Amino acid sequence: FTSTANNNWYVSFGRIAVWTVVWAIFSTITCYFVGMLFAVILVDKRIKISKFFRTVFILPYAIPTMLSLYIWQNLLNGTFGPINRTLIELGLIANPIPWLSHPMMAKITLILVNIWIGFPYSMILITSNMTAIPSQLYEAAIIDGANKWQQFRKVTLPLVLYQTMPILIMQFAGNINNFG
């Protein structure tokens, strides 16, 4: 592990270390904020069958991760995967997308698949935190003239982040350790 430019181990270790940190940051942030987006949508009183949607969105979390990864590997197969075949049949692409064979595309694909696997946990966590926020805070914000975005930014987000920050840190540590 000397720092000479000719040392392949040093270069490889550096690339892998950087990618592991990038992976941990993006996988943590994307799962958390996609989960928050779905939680905000499902807590809205205008959604009539939110319990049904919540159940559907929990399914990726309920299915074993290795099974989900195996299914995604087949869906994203560059040669005969159904996603590429469908995109070609619809005329949206001419050549198959190298989802898993091109290094940069594989990294992006891994983060997207990780969102599928990881967002339900954050959604459940954030939904439970949002239901614990007193309705008087929102009533006071409405009286003060706050719109929905301001209510989210000034009431919901700070309270949810305060409650979930330790879990967000644990998810980050878990993502560094769960790179495999």
Side-chain angles (χ1 to χ4, degrees), residues 2 5 7 9 18 25 41 48 51 59 69 75 94 102-103 120 125 135 139 143-144 148-149 153 158 172 174:
T2 61
N7 189 339
W9 288 102
V18 168
I25 290 169
I41 291 169
K48 300 291 183 211
K51 289 181 182 179
L59 286 177
L69 292 174
L75 289 172
H102 184 272
L125 182 70
S135 60
E139 291 171 9
I143 290 171
D144 288 342
K148 287 286 188 186
W149 170 249
R153 206 176 90 234
F172 176 78

Side-chain angles (χ1 to χ4, degrees), residues 44-117:
D44 193 336
K45 302 287 186 224
R46 295 175 291 181
I47 304 294
K48 300 291 183 211
I49 53 175
S50 65
K51 289 181 182 179
F52 169 76
F53 286 119
R54 195 171 297 125
T55 302
V56 169
F57 293 144
I58 289 174
L59 286 177
Y61 186 66
I63 296 170
T65 304
M66 289 309 297
L67 180 61
S68 291
L69 292 174
Y70 181 71
I71 291 169
W72 276 107
Q73 178 186 11
N74 289 320
L75 289 172
L76 296 168
N77 187 299
T79 307
F80 57 84
I83 294 176
N84 272 338
R85 285 196 334 233
T86 302
L87 292 173
I88 290 170
E89 287 295 322
L90 292 174
L92 297 175
I93 60 173
N95 298 319
I97 299 171
W99 299 107
L100 302 172
S101 58
H102 184 272
M104 184 52 81
M105 193 65 194
K107 291 174 182 176
I108 293 168
T109 302
L110 285 174
I111 291 171
L112 294 175
V113 169
N114 188 65
I115 291 171
W116 166 264
I117 292 169

